[in-house]
């Protein structure tokens, strides 16, 4: 059962269980007797010590209205991130303070300005515990979720439903409108990749959580640019070990690429060098997936799917293996997922509100197994690890369709207020939890706690109100949505669904326009 605000925050903190992976020794001392924070000049303290200065301050000011102030309890929240190590601005505590909001069970008004500044410094240094370690550093499974309009990537502990790190791309010198869109990770959890639409780049990062929290240490490599850049990368797919695609990463074009391009990128993961291949017989190749020695591609502008042989027996140059037309269209073909057994692929059609179940058992002879109606605007689909169930977020219906693969029918439609233009999806290796991101650019979801308004300017529009090519890519979002999302406090959301019950068990608020999702196991 999901706990929802406005349950008193003090009660929520009091019920918090100790965090496995929060690196606390469990021996927090109670408030130091007679500790008076008014006698401490927090502006001059350089030692960022939880035991010496943070815990006594929180207890003396009764910030949590009588609830425990032990280290583990500080990270409990029903909206995803009461404190985020290395990210004070994104933490609920400081969102409440900055907004001057009144929240049951939280006495933030008792804190002096120098005390708030000290707490910020402590959190931005990693919110280190009594033993000097950062929380969550040993978490092995987490989700990466792109915040497309905030140039950030959120790291989420799936089982606890909490943001545990934030990668801010602007800390790396990248543009606030870099637009991180899709993300893929190495199977062994050694690295991950994100497509930055407006930087014309695919960037490689470390999976080390403390490196991610500190920004620059996480950056490993990126594709060449700007002179030789692959423009407007969108969707990504990883080559599979033991096939001709081993060691490769493939990138399609984003929605914003209106150049008439018919090419996709083949990237060497070890070096991040790439080749641009104009093999497909259509423009705007967006959806992309990998099957054996082949790559599947689909067009945003035509109702066409292509299969590309990455290493032909006669030449190292990729060759077109098959082309499949899916009716009259155009249906705006958004994204694939390949069934884990490799025999079938799903492809979403945003305009027709259908999914195509494709026979890919022989990529040189593609076929259609079934066409299944779903909710309006299906986006990024995900198969369960056992190949038995298919989950389809429906962007325009604010829902998730659950499809039984054997019967090719929708058996359940999941709804929740936090499913506000659902976009990306991914599933845990054991199949227990589904992670779904939502854009919420229309403000359909109201945040549980104050969310800051954006400091990024709204995208430029032309006389007809269309987003101009030089503006942030919004992947199908109208200019009106762009303008609203740029000035309103509308966070993206991530929901965690328990696949045994199809219930939403966690709602997590992150940055604006939550898009691509990947589950990492390291």
């Amino acid at each position: 059962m999901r706990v929802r605000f406005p349950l008193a925050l003090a009660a929520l903190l009091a019920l918090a269980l100790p965090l496995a992976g929060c690196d606390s020794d469990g021996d927090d001392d109670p408030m130091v007797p007679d500790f008076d924070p008014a006698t401490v000049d927090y502006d001059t303290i350089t030692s960022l010590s939880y035991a010496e200065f943070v815990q006594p301050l929180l207890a003396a000011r009764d910030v949590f209205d009588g609830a425990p102030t032990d280290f583990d309890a500080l990270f409990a929240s029903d909206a995803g991130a009461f404190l985020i190590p290395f990210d004070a601005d994104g933490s609920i505590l400081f969102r409440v303070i900055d907004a001057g909001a009144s929240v049951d069970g939280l006495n933030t008004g008792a804190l002096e300005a120098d005390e708030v500044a000290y707490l910020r410094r402590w959190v931005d240094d990693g919110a280190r515990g009594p033993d000097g370690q950062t929380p969550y550093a040993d978490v092995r499974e987490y989700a990466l979720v792109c915040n497309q309009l905030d140039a950030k990537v959120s790291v989420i502990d799936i089982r606890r439903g909490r943001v545990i790190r934030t990668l801010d791309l602007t800390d790396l010198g990248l543009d606030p409108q870099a637009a991180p869109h899709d993300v893929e990770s190495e199977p062994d959890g050694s690295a991950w990749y994100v497509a930055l639409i407006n930087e014309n780049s695919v960037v490689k990062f470390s999976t080390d959580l403390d490196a991610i929290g500190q920004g620059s240490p996480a950056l490993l490599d990126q594709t060449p640019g700007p002179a030789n850049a692959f423009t407007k990368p969108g969707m990504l797919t990883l080559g599979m070990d033991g096939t001709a695609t081993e060691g490769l990463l493939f990138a399609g074009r984003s929605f914003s690429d209106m150049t008439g391009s018919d090419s996709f990128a083949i990237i060497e993961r070890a070096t991040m060098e790439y080749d641009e291949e104009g093999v497909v017989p259509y423009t705007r190749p967006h959806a992309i997936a990998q099957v054996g020695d082949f790559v599947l591609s689909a067009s945003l502008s035509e109702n066409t799917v292509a299969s590309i042989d990455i290493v032909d027996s006669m030449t190292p140059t990729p060759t077109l293996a098959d082309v499949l037309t899916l009716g009259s269209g155009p249906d705006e073909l958004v994204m694939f997922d390949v069934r884990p057994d490799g025999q079938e692929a799903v492809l979403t059609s945003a305009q027709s509100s259908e999914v195509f179940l494709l026979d890919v058992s022989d990529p040189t002879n593609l076929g259609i197994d079934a066409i299944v109606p779903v909710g309006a605007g299906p986006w990024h689909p995900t198969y369960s690890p056992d190949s038995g169930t298919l989950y389809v977020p429906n962007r325009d219906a604010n829902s998730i369709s659950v499809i039984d693969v054997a019967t090719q029918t929708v058996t359940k439609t999941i709804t929740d207020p936090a499913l506000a233009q659902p976009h990306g999806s991914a599933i845990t290796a054991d199949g227990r939890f589904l992670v779904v991101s939502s854009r919420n650019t229309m403000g359909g979801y109201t945040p549980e706690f104050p969310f800051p308004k954006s400091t990024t300017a709204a995208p430029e529009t032309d006389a007809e109100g269309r987003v101009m090519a030089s503006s942030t890519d919004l992947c199908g979002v109208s200019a009106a949505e762009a303008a609203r999302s740029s000035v309103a406090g509308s966070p993206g959301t991530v929901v965690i669904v328990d696949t045994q019950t199809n219930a939403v068990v966690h709602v997590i608020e992150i940055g604006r326009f939550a898009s691509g999702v990947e589950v990492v196991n390291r």
Side-chain angles (χ1 to χ4, degrees):
M1 179 178 177
R2 189 169 88 235
V3 180
R4 301 295 289 150
F5 185 81
L7 176 69
L9 188 60
L12 183 64
L13 289 166
L15 292 172
L17 296 175
L19 294 179
C22 251
D23 294 329
S24 171
D25 60 13
D27 295 328
D28 297 341
D29 293 328
M31 183 181 72
V32 176
D34 302 322
F35 178 82
D36 183 2
T39 65
V40 179
D41 184 358
Y42 275 90
D43 283 336
T44 64
I45 297 173
T46 57
S47 171
L48 299 174
S49 169
Y50 169 79
E52 188 176 1
F53 295 111
V54 174
Q55 196 273 342
L57 169 64
L58 296 174
R61 295 299 192 196
D62 194 21
V63 170
F64 299 115
D65 198 19
T69 56
D70 66 281
F71 183 71
D72 291 339
L74 294 180
F75 296 85
S77 166
D78 72 335
F82 191 73
L83 292 180
I84 306 174
F86 302 105
D87 183 14
D89 285 345
S91 300
I92 289 172
L93 174 63
F94 298 102
R95 285 163 48 188
V96 170
I97 291 172
D98 290 346
S102 176
V103 174
D104 288 345
L106 198 58
N107 298 322
T108 55
L111 292 166
E112 300 291 336
D114 64 326
E115 297 163 357
V116 172
Y118 180 84
L119 293 173
R120 280 185 182 276
R121 286 192 285 137
W122 172 67
V123 171
D124 283 334
D125 187 57
R128 300 175 191 276
D131 55 4
Q133 300 299 308
T134 54
Y136 308 105
D138 63 349
V139 169
R140 311 306 296 175
E141 175 195 63
Y142 54 79
L144 297 165
V145 185
C146 297
N147 307 182
Q148 187 165 313
L149 283 179
D150 280 342
K152 295 178 180 179
V153 179
S154 297
V155 184
I156 293 171
D157 185 323
I158 299 166
R159 311 281 166 160
R160 297 186 186 98
R162 299 177 186 175
V163 180
I164 58 176
R165 297 288 188 272
T166 305
L167 177 67
D168 189 336
L169 296 169
T170 63
D171 289 343
L172 307 177
L174 297 174
D175 194 288
Q177 294 190 3
H181 184 65
D182 194 33
V183 58
E184 285 280 329
S185 70
E186 292 285 353
D188 65 359
S190 59
W192 55 281
Y193 308 85
V194 62
L196 305 181
I197 296 172
N198 292 328
E199 289 283 343
N200 298 323
S201 179
V202 177
V203 185
K204 181 178 183 179
F205 290 101
S206 166
T207 56
D208 179 83
L209 288 173
D210 283 354
I212 291 173
Q214 296 173 74
S216 294
L219 178 62
L220 299 178
D221 206 350
Q222 66 187 100
T223 52
N228 299 315
F230 177 78
T231 57
K232 302 295 183 182
M235 302 310 301
L236 302 175
T237 191
L238 214 65
M240 186 182 298
D241 290 351
T243 73
T245 65
E246 183 173 347
L248 301 177
L249 176 68
F250 303 90
R253 304 281 178 168
S254 75
F255 265 67
S256 66
D257 178 47
M258 304 299 291
T259 63
S261 171
D262 63 354
S263 62
F264 63 95
I266 301 178
I267 302 166
E268 290 277 358
R269 279 144 48 192
T271 65
M272 296 303 287
E273 296 292 327
Y274 79 95
D275 290 320
E276 191 170 329
E277 299 294 343
V279 180
V280 294
Y282 43 71
T283 61
R284 305 187 71 198
H286 178 73
I288 196 162
Q290 185 270 338
V291 181
D293 294 340
F294 297 81
V295 164
L296 301 176
S297 170
S299 171
L300 286 171
S301 57
E302 302 175 36
N303 250 28
T304 308
V305 177
S307 170
I308 301 103
D309 189 345
I310 295 303
V311 181
D312 184 81
S313 60
M314 301 297 293
T315 171
T317 303
T319 58
L320 192 63
D322 195 22
V323 176
L324 180 65
T325 300
L326 308 177
S328 57
D331 283 348
E332 200 172 66
L333 303 174
V334 177
M335 193 51 189
F336 295 102
D337 192 33
V338 177
R339 206 167 71 190
D341 62 14
Q343 300 300 295
E344 182 180 87
V346 60
L347 176 61
T348 53
S349 171
Q351 293 299 319
S352 68
S353 299
E354 299 169 323
V355 297
F356 292 90
L357 302 181
L358 306 177
D359 181 355
V360 297
S361 57
D362 177 4
T364 67
N365 186 26
L366 301 172
I368 301 174
D369 283 341
I371 302 173
V372 182
V374 291
W379 223 247
H380 295 182
T382 293
Y383 281 100
S384 63
D386 65 3
S387 299
T389 308
L390 174 61
Y391 302 92
V392 182
N394 303 306
R395 184 195 66 177
D396 300 329
N398 299 325
S399 67
I400 303 167
S401 295
V402 182
I403 297 174
D404 180 273
V405 174
T407 64
Q408 301 170 338
T409 57
V410 175
T411 58
K412 173 74 174 178
T413 299
I414 301 170
T415 60
D416 189 272
L419 287 169
Q421 301 160 275
H423 183 112
S425 66
I427 198 164
T428 55
D430 62 1
R432 178 63 188 273
F433 294 103
L434 178 73
V435 184
V436 178
S437 63
S438 288
R439 302 174 177 187
N440 192 36
T441 53
M442 293 294 288
Y445 168 80
T446 301
E448 301 288 351
F449 295 95
F451 195 83
K453 298 184 185 300
S454 173
T455 57
T456 303
E460 297 178 75
T461 57
D462 61 19
E464 283 74 42
R466 296 172 299 198
V467 176
M468 296 175 65
S470 61
S471 297
T472 300
D473 171 75
L474 296 174
C475 198
V477 173
S478 68
E481 285 180 68
R484 185 200 181 286
S485 183
S486 292
V487 299
S490 299
T493 68
V494 177
V495 302
I496 310 297
V497 177
D498 184 337
T499 60
Q500 292 187 351
T501 62
N502 287 324
V504 173
V505 293
H506 295 296
V507 170
I508 304 139
E509 299 168 3
I510 62 170
R512 295 180 306 140
F513 194 146
S515 54
V517 181
E518 173 77 339
V519 172
V520 175
N521 288 280
R522 62 187 184 106

